[in-house]
């Protein structure tokens, strides 16, 4: 199996690159943000709960997020591997992912981290908000809060993987194809 954590602040390009990586490496894409949005749209109990946090740009509590992620992974017993997009966002989530991967007889192979300057992230998200209809992409205050949450609560998760020599930062500014190539060149060393 090949299990990749795709990391970085909101607007860094994780979703765009995930869909290209999924095609190339035949992996299952699990975006916790997408799964929450699906639940919000379908007005499930999980969606109602998650919305309370997401609309403000705050993190959904770890227990809720971890339980959901575990269930999604287990729905794919024949996966060749996973791209985790937007998960883990905290150290407890990273620890829970390791426990889950061990249970399944596998491991996280690497974390690829995309980054871009804050003003560029805000600009990209506001632009995306015009088309996506995402409430959390349409309000600059919420966007800046999400970036602040990333800096204060999530960025530290990179050190968890860095300590295991699994952390690979990639510049998220540039053409989609150039960034994709850089991601692939790291992945191909593990594949
Ligand atoms: P994203 O689509 O990854 O930008 O996520 C959108 C929102 O969903 C985030 O701002 C959080 O409110 C919530 N969310 C997504 N993934 C997680 C996670 N791993 N832990 C906590 N909250 C999350």
């Amino acid at each position: 199996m090949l299990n990749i954590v795709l990391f970085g602040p909101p607007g860094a390009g994780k979703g765009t690159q995930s869909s290209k990586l999924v095609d190339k490496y035949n992996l299952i894409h699990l975006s916790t943000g997408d799964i929450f949005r699906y639940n919000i749209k379908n007005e499930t109990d999980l969606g109602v709960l998650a919305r309370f946090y997401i609309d403000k740009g705050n993190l959904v509590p770890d227990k809720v997020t971890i339980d959901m992620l575990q269930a999604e992974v287990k729905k794919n017993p024949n996966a060749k591997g996973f791209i985790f997009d937007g998960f883990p966002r905290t150290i407890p989530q990273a620890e829970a992912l390791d426990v889950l991967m061990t249970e399944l007889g596998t491991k996280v192979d690497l974390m690829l981290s995309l980054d871009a300057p804050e003003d560029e992230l805000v600009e990209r998200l506001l632009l995306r908000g015009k088309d996506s209809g995402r409430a959390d992409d349409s309000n600059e205050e919420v966007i800046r809060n999400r970036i602040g949450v990333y800096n204060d609560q999530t960025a530290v998760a990179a050190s968890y993987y860095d300590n295991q020599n699994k952390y690979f930062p990639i510049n998220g500014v540039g053409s989609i194809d150039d960034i994709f190539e850089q991601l692939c060149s790291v992945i191909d060393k593990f594949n």
Side-chain angles (χ1 to χ4, degrees):
M1 279 178 97
L2 175 67
N3 299 306
I4 300 170
V5 170
L6 195 54
F7 194 68
K14 300 187 295 293
T16 305
Q17 295 296 338
S18 287
S19 52
K20 290 172 74 71
L21 292 169
V22 162
D23 288 347
K24 175 158 180 178
Y25 295 100
N26 204 6
L27 303 169
I28 303 283
H29 177 216
L30 290 184
S31 154
T32 39
D34 284 351
I35 303 166
F36 284 134
R37 282 185 287 279
Y38 176 86
N39 278 276
I40 290 171
K41 199 168 149 219
N42 289 287
E43 297 177 346
T44 67
D45 289 348
L46 175 63
V48 171
L49 176 77
R51 184 171 196 167
F52 176 78
Y53 299 93
I54 292 178
D55 280 356
K56 299 187 187 78
N58 293 329
L59 294 184
V60 177
D62 279 340
K63 166 104 176 76
V64 176
T65 306
I66 290 167
D67 286 351
M68 178 188 85
L69 190 277
Q70 283 175 343
E72 291 296 323
V73 167
K74 288 180 180 172
K75 282 183 195 166
N76 295 281
N78 300 318
K80 291 197 166 137
F82 293 91
I83 296 188
F84 298 103
D85 165 1
F87 184 95
R89 266 174 153 101
T90 63
I91 300 276
Q93 291 183 17
E95 289 170 347
L97 182 58
D98 273 352
V99 171
L100 176 65
M101 293 289 101
T102 305
E103 248 177 62
L104 299 176
T106 184
K107 64 182 186 322
V108 173
D109 292 288
L110 68 161
M111 168 188 266
L112 294 165
S113 177
L114 294 171
D115 208 352
E118 176 161 338
D119 284 346
E120 166 126 11
L121 297 173
V122 173
E123 205 178 300
R124 288 183 190 179
L125 290 169
L126 284 169
L127 199 66
R128 182 171 79 184
K130 284 187 187 156
D131 292 330
S132 70
R134 275 179 63 171
D136 63 344
D137 280 348
S138 305
N139 175 319
E140 183 161 343
E141 200 182 318
V142 173
I143 289 174
R144 295 225 181 245
N145 184 46
R146 286 162 66 203
I147 295 171
V149 166
Y150 173 82
N151 291 331
D152 295 346
Q153 299 176 43
T154 299
V156 65
S159 63
Y160 182 86
Y161 293 94
D162 198 16
N163 290 339
Q164 301 175 38
N165 300 318
K166 292 180 178 175
Y167 169 69
F168 297 89
I170 306 258
N171 185 356
V173 182
S175 81
I176 290 173
D177 287 343
D178 281 351
I179 295 167
F180 180 62
E181 253 178 54
Q182 290 179 57
L183 294 170
C184 293
S185 75
V186 177
I187 294 171
D188 290 341
K189 291 186 191 130
F190 284 80
N191 215 357

